[in-house]
Amino acid sequence: MTHPDIKPTNAVSVFGVPFDAYSSFLKGPAKAPLVFFDSLSNGSANSSTELGVDLKKHPHIEFIESITWPEDDQAFAVIENTVSQIVEGGRKPLVIGGDHSITYPVLKGVAAKHDNVTILHFDAHPDLYDEFKGNRYSHACPFARIMESNLASRLVQVGIRTLNAHQREQAQRFNVEVHEMRHWQGPEQLDIKEPVYISIDIDALDPAFAPGVSHLEPGGMSVRQILDVIHSLDVPIIGADIVELNPTRDINNMTAMVAIKLYKELCGKMLG
Ligand code: MN
Ligand code: MN
């Protein structure tokens, strides 16, 4: 799995997780890694980030093909193990989902090396349900599992526009810093001073920018608003995921290209 020439610091390991078994409403995100990696190499976009990092054949990026598992109930163990090997090797995981349930095993893997993780989480939804439709590992629940397992000391959520009474209670219980979309002013509202893990649910974006998701939630972020936050960060990014791209709902591949744009700017920052 390890690239022989890769330097241990700041190197990024990019891998796909084709998992959507814990999606509550529609399937489709399991198809995202294949579409993502195809679109990444289809020639429609160049390989330079806005901040001037050229990702093409970059010596500190390794691509691991989409990981696999024998049965869905073993997926989380494989995901956790993959991530723990990456971080123990001194590299940073950049995970292409998959539905949002995978962020829980990813953070378990990150915990093999990092304590007191700050998570910056972009989403229309807080994903804090104690259980959803009888499933405690649903894509509506990962941040409840992460916080009650003490896998993060701080959870900062941006883009949120679906809080209900239960999730407000859960946010209070776990001291989640929820930046609701209706109050969003820009990255200066954030106070991130520690190394950070970034989780981007594509439905944080307004459906006008990103229609290829399972849960269309109007009133969301622009691509530029998320890029502004990524570009503004002045702390190391220890890992990241981009989840909930649903190619079966996409139009002209436009949401896949949004995922690639976010990937490029994230990856460039992680290498820096
Ligand atoms: Mn969401
Ligand atoms: Mn989510």
Side-chain angles (χ1 to χ4, degrees), residues 7 13 71 74 77 86 100 103 115 157 169 252 266:
K7 285 191 181 171
S13 296
E71 302 285 342
Q74 290 154 61
I86 288 168
H100 218 158
T103 301
D115 297 325
Q157 298 186 322
E169 273 176 29
N252 293 336
L266 260 180

Side-chain angles (χ1 to χ4, degrees), residues 56-95:
K56 191 173 187 182
K57 295 183 179 154
H58 195 291
H60 298 167
I61 304 174
E62 68 171 351
F63 290 97
I64 302 165
E65 287 187 28
S66 290
I67 60 171
T68 56
W69 43 84
E71 302 285 342
D72 277 343
D73 63 1
Q74 290 154 61
F76 276 20
V78 174
I79 295 164
E80 178 184 344
N81 188 40
T82 303
V83 173
S84 65
Q85 284 183 43
I86 288 168
V87 298
E88 283 171 347
R91 305 186 311 282
K92 302 172 172 185
L94 204 173
V95 185

Side-chain angles (χ1 to χ4, degrees), residues 123-125 201 203:
D123 207 321
H125 315 92
D201 182 327
D203 71 28

Side-chain angles (χ1 to χ4, degrees), residues 22 25 40 46 50 56 65 74 89 147 156 170 205 247-248 263 268:
Y22 296 161
F25 179 59
L40 189 60
N46 77 23
E50 294 188 4
K56 191 173 187 182
E65 287 187 28
Q74 290 154 61
M147 297 311 282
V156 181
Q170 291 283 85
L205 292 151
T248 66
Y263 155 78

Side-chain angles (χ1 to χ4, degrees), residues 100 121-127 139 162 201-204 215 217 244:
H100 218 158
H121 167 207
F122 296 89
D123 207 321
H125 315 92
D127 292 352
H139 71 157
T162 58
D201 182 327
I202 295 285
D203 71 28
H215 302 264
E217 189 64 43
E244 296 286 346

